[in-house]
Amino acid sequence: DMKVTQMPRYLIKRMGENVLLECGQDMSHETMYWYRQDPGLGLQLIYISYDVDSNSEGDIPKGYRVSRKKREHFSLILDSAKTNQTSVYFCASSLSLTGNTEVFFGKGTRLTVV
Amino acid sequence: GDSVTQTEGQVTVSESKSLIINCTYSATSIGYPNLFWYVRYPGEGLQLLLKVITAGQKGSSRGFEATYNKEATSFHLQKASVQESDSAVYYCALTGGNNKLTFGQGTVLSVIP
């Protein structure tokens, strides 16, 4: 079963706390992504990972970092969360970074920073 | 840079009626873009609905269609007769020369039974 799994699905954190969002995929995909979506905006790319320990900033990386130590697992870390990081975060994966490859998405994590 | 515009944030249609969701794009790389429609059903992640990588071609899936119109830079999503189960959020997207997906803001489709 091809799946991208995100944990947790819902999270409430206080401003200044550290946040860890976890993502796993069971398809042995090389490429993984983290996006966020805010009301009225499309999904915005935070980070992209081409493989283990091979990560690259996306369009909005400020305030985030990532870790990929295993091909099937990709974490998003917020050091000292801010209220403007309240959003829905989507993890995704694809077989490779080619332009017409299907991207598979997780169900999202709704993060609220208070 | 590349961009995708969906003009309707929300669309409400009665069951069995026709649907069109508008999408226009701007792409900077020669020979591109590849065009996609993704859909997110309630409680689920985004999933690919259809894609078209050649200008002038039409893609179709689950009764939905979209034609890659390079002259109009459009990729509108259409369905002749919607069902209540089509209620979801629809995202138009493209990949350009950098091979990264650029999304529109999404259109919430509500189908009234």
Side-chain angles (χ1 to χ4, degrees), chain A residues 9 35 37 40-43 45 50 57 90 97-100 102-103 105-107, chain B residues 34 36 38 40 43-46 48 51 53 91 95 98-101 103-105:
Chain A
R9 295 292 314 280
Y35 291 89
Q37 185 176 26
L41 296 177
L43 279 74
L45 181 64
Y50 302 104
E57 294 180 345
F90 289 98
L97 186 64
T98 54
N100 59 14
E102 182 175 357
V103 179
F105 287 83
K107 295 183 179 183
Chain B
N34 303 306
F36 306 83
Y38 278 82
R40 181 158 65 101
E44 299 296 320
L46 282 80
L48 181 65
K51 70 178 181 184
I53 63 172
Y91 298 89
T95 55
N98 62 7
N99 285 325
K100 295 178 185 176
L101 269 173
F103 286 90
Q105 78 270 34

Side-chain angles (χ1 to χ4, degrees), chain A residues 72-97:
Chain A
E72 64 270 20
H73 192 251
F74 191 35
S75 301
L76 181 69
I77 301 122
L78 289 66
D79 294 315
S80 186
K82 300 172 180 53
T83 55
N84 63 8
Q85 292 178 307
T86 292
S87 188
V88 180
Y89 291 86
F90 289 98
C91 177
S93 72
S94 62
L95 186 61
S96 62
L97 186 64

Side-chain angles (χ1 to χ4, degrees), chain B:
Chain B
D2 299 337
S3 66
V4 177
T5 302
Q6 294 176 242
T7 51
E8 304 102 349
Q10 180 139 7
V11 172
T12 301
V13 181
S14 297
E15 200 165 26
S16 80
K17 299 297 185 184
S18 64
L19 167 74
I20 181 165
I21 298 177
N22 293 310
C23 172
T24 57
Y25 66 87
S26 173
T28 55
S29 300
I30 296 172
Y32 286 91
N34 303 306
L35 299 174
F36 306 83
W37 278 100
Y38 278 82
V39 58
R40 181 158 65 101
Y41 297 103
E44 299 296 320
L46 282 80
Q47 55 186 270
L48 181 65
L49 179 60
L50 57 86
K51 70 178 181 184
V52 181
I53 63 172
T54 304
Q57 298 295 308
K58 179 167 67 178
S60 60
S61 173
R62 307 180 210 174
F64 289 90
E65 309 183 322
T67 299
Y68 186 155
N69 187 327
K70 190 174 182 179
E71 289 71 32
T73 62
S74 69
F75 191 54
H76 305 318
L77 184 68
Q78 301 183 71
K79 190 172 186 182
S81 175
V82 297
Q83 303 169 1
E84 193 176 358
S85 58
D86 293 327
S87 295
V89 185
Y90 292 81
Y91 298 89
C92 186
L94 67 80
T95 55
N98 62 7
N99 285 325
K100 295 178 185 176
L101 269 173
T102 298
F103 286 90
Q105 78 270 34
T107 298
V108 178
L109 171 63
S110 298
V111 179
I112 301 171

Side-chain angles (χ1 to χ4, degrees), chain A residues 17-52:
Chain A
E17 290 186 327
N18 297 332
V19 179
L20 173 65
L21 303 185
E22 309 258 28
C23 175
Q25 50 97 0
D26 61 2
M27 298 167 278
S28 297
H29 283 171
E30 286 182 351
T31 310
M32 296 187 73
Y33 315 79
W34 277 105
Y35 291 89
R36 65 177 279 178
Q37 185 176 26
D38 301 299
L41 296 177
L43 279 74
Q44 299 176 84
L45 181 64
I46 305 171
Y47 266 94
I48 184 170
S49 175
Y50 302 104
D51 211 329
V52 171

